[in-house]
Structure formats: C-alpha cells, structure tokens
Amino acid sequence: MSTSFQNIKGTFDILPDPHTDDGGTRTAASAEWRHVEATVRDVMRRHNFEEIRTPVLEPTELVARGVGASTDIVQKEMFAFERSDTQYVLRPEITAPVVRSFLQHHLDQRGGVQKLFYIGPCFRAEQPQKGRYRQFHQFGIEVLGADQPRADAETIAVLMAVCDALGLSDLRLRLNTLGTPECREEYVGALQDFLEPYADELSETSRRRLERNPLRILDTKKAHEQEILRDAPTLIDFVNEKSRTHYDTVKGLLDDLGVEYVEDPHLVRGLDYYTETTFELEHPGLGAQSALAGGGRYDRLAEVLGSDAPVPAVGFAAGMERLFLALDAADVELADTPTPDVFIAALGEEAERWGFRTAQALRAEGLHVAHDLMGRSLKAQMKEANRQNAPYTMIIGGNELEAEAATVKEMESGAQEEVPFDGLIEYLTRTAETA
Ligand code: AMP
C-alpha cells in the first residue's frame, strides 16, 4: 500500500512503534511519549502545579509583543496568516499565551500564586535539522504572582525533578542574573563601548547586532569572538544590590537542594521584560542543539501584554523532542508498547460472536483484550497473538462452546487449561494481575 502524500518537512508522526525520521533521528513511540508526559504530570502534581491548556491559534499581535518584534521567531519563523481581517499565528511558544490567559480570566482572583504547567505543540518555521522541528512539543511551567527567590529556585527544581524522574543525568545547568532592564541598559552601553574598537574583527552578523542588540553577541559560537569577549565587561558588575541579593538567595536555595549549576555571565536574553534569574539546561547528547530547556524571570511581561499592574513571574520551557534525544543518547529505556492481557482466537461464526461478547465483558472489567477482525484461520490467529505478545490466548471453537469452557493457552510455556465460561473473568483478571 502507498500514497504520494508525506508529512510536512520538519514535522513527524508519532507511531505505535519507534521509527527513524527522514533526518535519521529516532522518533519515539506513542507509549514512550505517554510515559514522558505521565512523568511530567506526576512531577507537576508533586510540586503542586495545575494544568493549563491554551489554543494552538493565538492573535499574531500577542506573539509579536510577547516574544518580541525584534526576535528571529517573530521576524522569520512565525506560521501566521490572515482570515476575515483577523491575524492568526500558530503559537511558537506557550508563555505569552499563558500570561494572556491569566490576565484575561483574572486568575489572580483565585488567590495566592498561580503555579501552572502545560504540555503541547509549538510551531516555528525554522530550517529543520536534528532536534529542530517546525512542529515540536514543549512542556513548561509559569509561576505567576511570586517575586520571591524561592519561586525561581522551585522553577529550576521542577525542571531538574522531571529529568531525574526520567533517569536523565549528565546535565549542565547554566545560571545568570539579568538584573533589571535599567541595569541592563547601562551594561549594553558599556558592552558597545568595549566592542566598538573590535568592530572590524567581528562577523557581519555580530556587527549588525552591535547596533541593534549587542547582548546577542555574547551568544556567539565563533572562537575568535569568544576570545574578544573574554575581557568584556560582565553584566553582574552592573546589577544593583537588590538583584544581587535575589540572585545570591536563588543560588543558596539551589545549594540547599543539591542542584548543581555553573554560573555563566554570558547567558543573557535580549528582551526588556526578562529580569533577574535566567537559566538554560544542556545535555551533551544533544550536539549542536544542546539546549534542553530555558527559562527565568520575566517580571515585566504582563505589562507588555497590557496589564495595568506588574505580575512578577518565573518559568521554564523544555523541548520534548530534545528530551527524547538526550534519553536516547543516554540509553535510557522508556515504557514498552502495551501488550494485550489476552488474545481471543475464535473459530466459526458462533464462536466469533461468543468471543466478541466475551471480549467486551472482559474489557468492561478493565482487561486489555485483542481479537481477530479478519476471519482468519486458527493458525493465523495464534500467529497474530504471538506477534502482539499476548501472554494468554483463549481458544474458542465448537467443542468449547458445547463444553461451556474455553481453552486458555499460556503462550510462553504452551500449557493449556480448560476454564469454564463462568470462571473466565476471575481467571483472566487473576493472571493479568500476576503477569
Ligand atoms: P525557547 O522558547 O526558544 O527558549 O525554547 C525552549 C526549548 O524548546 C528549547 O530549549 C528547546 O528544547 C525547545 N525548542 C525550541 N525550538 C525548537 C524546535 N524548533 N524544535 C525542537 N525543539 C525546540
């Protein structure tokens, strides 16, 4: 069988079995996705986070303001379109949508701090490559209404707890403080003054950034630029006393929790609404796309989105595909595809009808029951039961119907037992529990 249709480049199907995408990357099976999602949910429950789900479609203006009009995402990577005078965008991230929803629904009125988490697809028109897709999935949290350093430390702790629960180690957490936008502005001036004399030695991209967004030069991967930056002024020297105390407290709390981090004075974010703590989590198994997650404080975002009062907030966003890459590189085994508790193999029309009724009755008891829907021979049905890794097969034919007892075969040993119809549910529930 075949079709000329293919999934869109930079997207992928999640299938019952793992498979390899057109870029040669292993794509996890749906059971593995469920396992990771269930782990995320469990960690969130333990940390007292509540789920929020927002639409995939958002107003383009929300993303332009929330992500920043000068960013690559807004300039080059939005899947945006117009319909009946409304500008839509497929969300490229989920922080701005969550803050929109928080403000729109006055979630602050629920009282206290809102600790929200999300899991869902995001869209960016980037050049697809390993770990970089056009439709990818993020999970993340937003802690809204909390200005205490404990909120920053807890945000990081939640991220580390998810990795820990999945069995992922070897992580590198980079940490920095951005202080306030006002300190940062002063710093940007100092950085520009420092870099100006080196302008001729900088790449064209960095020269452009020197004018518009010099902080991004700090991200450079070019060795000679990193060399120049070695003596550049550092942001921490421009950060005010209050921000420094905040940062020191966050670090102290992480030390208390035994969370390891490296301070990276070059870890910055260009947009004005980012404040104080910023962090990025990396895994060596990811290669070029080393970032597993990123986050930090964004105390000024709510106002950028129109709030008349500030909402101190901190959060992170992690990439699910990157998580799978890291888990794969670390040889962490995830959940197997679920297999049936029992396969019902029926021969003859009457037995098929009995089998169908019985399958439904067993399913109502919570058992995972498979059966044949192709009218195949007994031999072919037994083969199918094996392929599906069912530990037991229940065989029904004319003799069994007459005796009102099914033949239950334990597939591994080949041992068979006659089980009366009225004892089947009890028998199979017991064997499924001990399996
Ligand atoms: P960002 O919103 O850019 O800080 O991204 C947060 C996280 O999402 C990153 O650390 C990645 O793990 C993941 N991510 C971002 N863009 C992509 C993409 N195009 N494909 C896959 N994962 C991505």
Side-chain angles (χ1 to χ4, degrees), residues 207-274:
R207 263 205 306 279
R208 228 179 308 120
R209 286 179 176 162
L210 190 53
E211 298 301 316
R212 287 203 219 135
N213 194 354
L215 285 179
R216 286 202 55 200
I217 301 177
L218 298 174
D219 268 345
T220 182
K221 303 279 181 284
K222 298 197 167 65
H224 79 279
E225 293 189 339
Q226 285 174 343
E227 189 63 34
I228 294 171
L229 285 169
R230 223 206 291 247
D231 298 322
T234 46
L235 181 50
I236 190 75
D237 296 325
F238 290 76
V239 160
N240 68 29
E241 199 52 39
K242 190 164 170 250
S243 296
R244 260 173 207 252
T245 308
H246 184 100
Y247 186 46
D248 288 341
T249 311
V250 173
K251 287 190 288 180
L253 290 165
L254 291 176
D255 293 337
D256 286 351
L257 298 180
V259 172
E260 287 178 25
Y261 54 85
V262 283
E263 288 182 73
D264 180 353
H266 285 177
L267 180 67
V268 291
R269 285 165 187 258
L271 298 172
D272 275 358
Y273 60 72
Y274 288 114

Side-chain angles (χ1 to χ4, degrees), residues 124 126 131-133 136 138 291-293 317 319 322:
R124 295 183 193 176
E126 299 188 86
R132 192 175 286 284
Y133 297 91
F136 59 99
Q138 285 189 343
L292 199 60
R322 305 268 174 98

Side-chain angles (χ1 to χ4, degrees), residues 5-28:
F5 291 111
Q6 297 265 313
N7 61 292
I8 300 275
K9 196 168 167 241
T11 72
F12 55 89
D13 297 321
I14 298 169
L15 304 175
D17 294 320
H19 67 111
T20 304
D21 72 12
D22 43 13
T25 304
R26 180 184 187 275
T27 302

Side-chain angles (χ1 to χ4, degrees), residues 10 73 77 92-95 122-127 129-139 269 274 280-281 286 289-295 316-323:
I73 294 180
E77 298 167 0
E93 55 96 61
I94 309 186
T95 298
C122 297
F123 306 82
R124 295 183 193 176
E126 299 188 86
Q127 200 50 44
Q129 51 182 291
K130 188 173 177 159
R132 192 175 286 284
Y133 297 91
R134 295 189 152 188
Q135 174 172 346
F136 59 99
H137 301 76
Q138 285 189 343
F139 71 90
R269 285 165 187 258
Y274 288 114
E280 207 162 278
L281 187 64
L286 295 181
Q289 312 300 329
S290 62
L292 199 60
F316 74 76
M320 305 273 286
E321 290 74 11
R322 305 268 174 98
L323 201 57

